[in-house]
Structures are given as structure tokens and as C-alpha cells.
Amino acid sequence: DGGITQSPKYLFRKEGQNVTLSCEQNLNHDAMYWYRQDPGQGLRLIYYSQIVNDFQKGDIAEGYSVSREKKESFPLTVTSAQKNPTAFYLCASSASGADNSPLHFGNGTRLTVT
Amino acid sequence: GDSVTQMEGPVTLSEEAFLTINCTYTATGYPSLFWYVQYPGEGLQLLLKATKADDKGSNKGFEATYRKETTSFHLEKGSVQVSDSAVYFCALSDRGGSARQLTFGSGTQLTVLP
């Protein structure tokens, strides 16, 4: 079955450490996205990529970095510069970044930084 | 900028009750409108969408009508089931439905009791 796989489901880190969240898709989608979800808030876009080797900052990119070396993979690194990294992180993809291309989401990674 | 305002939860209903979750929006252009659903421990799934005024989106017994005059996209279902318990997100895209331009509401938690 095609889909988006995020791993791990739960991640714990000490403050000051960088951590990388994995996102893999086998839907052959061109566009991929990272969102952050906090309690009582909607999703906020961190980064997105419409094509391999290209990515753009979203609304809250500070303290995060990404890479898109392969079509299937879009890992997110939460750096020590991110002031409040504890959150639920969702990866998504769409066939293209164009009009009305629906988003497909992974099941998320819950990151806790202490 | 664009914004989406959803009715605050949590909402608790008995099985077979009528559901309405209110959603209003502010946008500069002519947005596409979406409802996403998030089941416990999962990512979001597209529930329904509407791309122009007076369009009605429908899926799995849920409906929402794009009302430009009241800038609303309220979600309704005539008879809810326990399996409908989830968080519902209203969203808009002000660039013809492009996923990278999605603005999400804060989500409404629905619990349906048997």
C-alpha cells in the first residue's frame, strides 16, 4: 500500500541536541511538507519542497532545517536553535504543489525535549 | 492575512445526533475550502472540499457548503456515529487550492457517546 511513513512515533531528546525526524513516501509525489501541531492550534507550515534538491521556508522555519536529496525522502532536523521544540510533527505530500492537489499525511512524530 | 476561525470544542454528542461545526474565514481572494479529520494517533485526512462559492462538498455523510456571502463553510452530519470521534480542521487555500498556501483553523474535538 502506498503512503507516508514517519519514524519514530515518539522521540525524546535533551535540550541542546539536534534531532532528525524521518519522512518517507512511496506515492511518487513531487511535493512534500512539514507541519508542526501544538495543542489547541492548527497546523503551521515549517518547510515545503516541490521538487528534488529544492525547498522553501514556511511560516515557522526558524530553528529547523530540511533536505530533499531523493524524491521519496524529506527529513526534518530540529536544531538546538529552536526555542520550543516539543510538539507533534506531521509530514505530508501531494502529487504536485499546484491547485487542488490534496495533501496526504503521515501519522506524525511526537517530539519531547527536556 | 488569511485566517480560519472554528467553533471551539470539545463537542460531545450522543450517537445519531445532528452535528454542526462552525467555520468562518477571512481571505483576500477566492479561496478553496477544506475539512480535514484527524483520528486519534494519526495524521490528517481530507474529508471534503469546495473550490467555489455555492459548491457543496460531501463525503461519508458529512457535508459543507461554501457560502461566500457569510464567509462560512460549516460542517454538518445528520446522524453521527461513535466512529466519527476525532478532531476536525477547517482550512483554506487562497491560491487555487495550492497545498503550500493552506491556512488551518485550530481544530474542534468531537466525541460521540454510544
Side-chain angles (χ1 to χ4, degrees):
Chain A
D1 285 342
I4 299 179
T5 302
Q6 289 187 245
S7 61
K9 191 172 176 68
Y10 299 96
L11 192 52
F12 298 87
R13 279 294 184 271
K14 296 287 189 188
E15 198 173 314
Q17 294 179 332
N18 291 355
V19 59
T20 297
L21 282 60
S22 168
C23 177
E24 303 279 330
Q25 55 101 355
N26 60 3
L27 298 166
N28 200 32
H29 283 173
D30 287 321
M32 296 187 74
Y33 311 81
W34 274 105
Y35 288 91
R36 173 182 170 132
Q37 184 178 16
D38 294 285
Q41 297 189 37
L43 276 66
R44 292 182 289 169
L45 183 63
I46 305 172
Y47 267 98
Y48 65 95
S49 167
Q50 293 183 267
I51 196 169
V52 174
N53 290 324
D54 186 52
F55 47 83
Q56 307 295 329
K57 292 182 179 180
D59 300 320
I60 55 164
E62 186 175 349
Y64 299 98
S65 65
V66 293
S67 62
R68 187 88 187 275
E69 296 176 4
K70 299 186 298 182
K71 188 175 185 177
E72 312 81 59
S73 179
F74 191 42
L76 173 74
T77 297
V78 184
T79 76
S80 55
Q82 168 49 234
K83 291 184 174 59
N84 187 18
T86 294
F88 189 52
Y89 291 88
L90 285 163
C91 180
S93 70
S94 61
S96 74
D99 296 0
N100 292 312
S101 183
L103 283 173
H104 296 256
F105 282 86
N107 285 339
T109 292
R110 189 167 297 281
L111 173 65
T112 302
V113 176
T114 57
Chain B
D2 297 344
S3 67
V4 175
T5 303
Q6 279 183 244
M7 119 188 225
E8 285 193 21
V11 174
T12 303
L13 295 173
S14 297
E15 207 164 21
E16 299 183 5
F18 185 85
L19 169 71
T20 300
I21 299 178
N22 289 341
C23 171
T24 57
Y25 67 89
T26 303
T28 51
Y30 298 93
S32 295
L33 301 173
F34 307 83
W35 277 100
Y36 281 84
V37 58
Q38 184 178 32
Y39 297 102
E42 297 183 10
L44 279 69
Q45 302 173 25
L46 179 64
L47 181 60
L48 53 84
K49 67 178 183 183
T51 57
K52 61 183 188 296
D54 299 325
D55 269 2
K56 177 186 282 189
S58 61
N59 186 25
K60 299 181 182 179
F62 290 90
E63 293 183 340
T65 301
Y66 188 158
R67 301 281 188 206
K68 191 166 182 296
E69 64 275 13
T70 54
T71 62
S72 65
F73 193 54
H74 305 321
L75 183 68
E76 297 181 336
K77 186 175 185 182
S79 176
V80 293
Q81 305 300 312
V82 172
S83 57
D84 293 326
S85 298
V87 181
Y88 292 82
F89 291 90
C90 186
L92 72 81
S93 177
D94 207 8
R95 292 277 291 273
S98 170
R100 68 185 180 275
Q101 302 291 342
L102 276 173
T103 299
F104 286 88
S106 58
T108 302
Q109 170 81 55
L110 170 67
T111 301
V112 180
L113 302 175

